[in-house]
């Protein structure tokens, strides 16, 4: 029987206070994993702990900026002491800034790359030594369709996510011999509170133009939901994927396979 159980496993999901990170952490917990997560603001941490508790999930939360190596090392050390060696890392924390490239300050570009690419490097670097000692580990990097595509106003995000795709493949290449699998999940357009303004019905009753654009470009003819990422996360975190390494699993409703409707 294929083993999707995560009983006895410890999972760290970065940025899992809400949204797709929270959904994936919930899925890992329901499969049996103990959950640790981080966020950068106390109010988000408090709300997330309450939300996990409401689901019966005894998650352990940390205030930690994953772009700061000393804070990450301290968090990982505490998780290993209180829960055990991290078996599963989901590098989910990320930001996007939608600014035309020629108008974007270099500081904004660097911030996006720092959070979306450098931070996954820092956290993976912190957990890999113990995974090597244990003889097994799973690293899941949350990439994006922008790992493959470009679009107006997302130069920093696309550059970072393209880099994260290649970091994923390099971790797989370098540490596969230690029975560590590193894969990516590339979400499509997901209906979350952060994307809600792009789906608002207009004053004349019509769809938001961006909403119409996404529906037309998606064979599934809908936005994804955070729940659509739960199964892929469990698969890549479990023994069911032990011979899957360096792969990016796009959960996009078919956008990357589709050229679009003829006008």
């Amino acid at each position: 029987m294929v083993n999707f159980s995560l009983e006895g496993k410890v999972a760290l999901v970065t940025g899992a206070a809400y949204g797709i990170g929270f959904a994936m952490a919930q899925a890992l917990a329901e499969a049996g994993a103990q959950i640790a997560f981080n966020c950068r603001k106390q109010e988000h941490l408090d709300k997330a702990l309450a939300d996990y508790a409401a689901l019966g999930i005894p998650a352990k939360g940390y205030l930690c900026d994953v772009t700061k190596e000393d804070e990450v090392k301290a968090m990982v050390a505490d998780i290993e002491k209180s829960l055990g060696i991290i078996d599963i890392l989901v590098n989910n924390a990320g930001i996007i800034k939608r600014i035309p490239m020629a108008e974007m300050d270099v500081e904004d570009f660097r911030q996006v790359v720092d959070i979306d690419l450098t931070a996954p490097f820092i956290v993976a670097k912190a957990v890999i030594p113990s995974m090597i000692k244990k003889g097994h580990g799973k690293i899941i990097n949350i990439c994006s369709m922008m790992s493959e595509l470009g679009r107006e106003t997302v130069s920093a995000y696309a550059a970072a996510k393209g880099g994260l795709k290649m970091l994923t493949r390099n971790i797989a290449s370098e540490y596969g011999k230690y029975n560590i699998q590193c894969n990516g999940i590339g979400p499509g357009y997901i209906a979350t509170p952060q994307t809600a303004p792009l789906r608002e019905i207009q004053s004349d009753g019509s769809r938001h133009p961006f909403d119409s654009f996404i529906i037309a470009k998606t064979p599934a003819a809908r936005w994804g939901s955070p729940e659509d990422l739960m199964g892929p996360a469990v698969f890549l975190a479990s023994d069911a994927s032990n011979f899957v390494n360096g792969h990016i699993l796009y959960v996009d409703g078919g956008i990357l396979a589709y050229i679009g409707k003829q006008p």
Side-chain angles (χ1 to χ4, degrees), residues 2-243:
V2 177
N3 186 9
F4 291 97
S5 173
L6 301 179
E7 289 293 335
K9 305 292 187 181
V10 175
L12 168 60
V13 185
T14 67
Y18 51 81
I20 66 173
F22 185 92
M24 290 187 290
Q26 178 187 347
L28 300 182
E30 290 174 353
Q34 297 182 80
I35 302 299
F37 72 98
N38 82 292
C39 56
R40 293 189 297 170
K41 294 183 179 180
Q42 186 67 51
E43 59 265 33
H44 291 165
L45 180 65
D46 293 341
K47 184 179 187 307
L49 288 170
D51 290 341
Y52 282 113
L55 294 172
I57 298 172
K60 190 169 180 61
Y62 293 86
L63 281 177
C64 175
D65 182 342
V66 288
T67 68
K68 300 185 182 304
E69 190 169 19
D70 56 341
E71 292 187 22
V72 170
K73 285 181 177 179
M75 176 177 66
V76 169
D78 191 82
I79 293 169
E80 290 187 352
K81 181 179 178 181
S82 57
L83 298 179
I85 289 174
I86 295 166
D87 300 283
I88 302 155
L89 166 63
V90 182
N91 274 316
N92 166 73
I95 64 169
I96 187 170
K97 293 193 174 187
R98 296 180 177 89
I99 305 169
M101 180 177 167
E103 300 171 17
M104 190 174 206
D105 291 337
V106 69
E107 291 80 9
D108 287 323
F109 187 94
R110 285 177 174 148
Q111 183 186 25
V112 173
V113 172
D114 204 25
I115 294 172
D116 292 3
L117 177 57
T118 306
F121 163 80
I122 290 170
V123 186
K125 178 185 172 185
V127 304
I128 284 172
S130 291
M131 288 181 172
I132 292 173
K133 290 178 183 177
K134 191 167 186 176
H136 187 42
K138 301 280 188 174
I139 298 173
I140 303 170
N141 292 326
I142 304 307
C143 298
S144 167
M145 291 188 305
M146 297 300 109
S147 300
E148 301 288 343
L149 300 172
R151 192 172 67 76
E152 297 85 350
T153 77
V154 294
S155 58
Y157 184 78
K161 292 299 186 178
L164 186 58
K165 174 183 70 175
M166 295 312 300
L167 178 63
T168 299
R169 291 176 176 172
N170 202 80
I171 292 171
S173 301
E174 195 165 351
Y175 295 102
K177 63 186 176 184
Y178 299 107
N179 196 26
I180 294 171
Q181 291 85 51
C182 182
N183 295 288
I185 293 177
Y189 286 92
I190 307 297
T192 66
Q194 288 70 40
T195 60
L198 300 175
R199 291 176 281 107
E200 288 181 348
I201 298 299
Q202 304 299 286
S203 58
D204 62 359
S206 64
R207 288 180 179 272
H208 189 289
F210 192 81
D211 186 18
S212 297
F213 167 71
I214 294 305
I215 297 301
K217 286 290 186 181
T218 308
R222 67 173 177 87
W223 289 62
S225 70
E227 290 73 23
D228 287 318
L229 299 168
M230 295 171 84
V234 171
F235 167 63
L236 291 177
S238 74
D239 289 344
S241 61
N242 280 352
F243 204 57

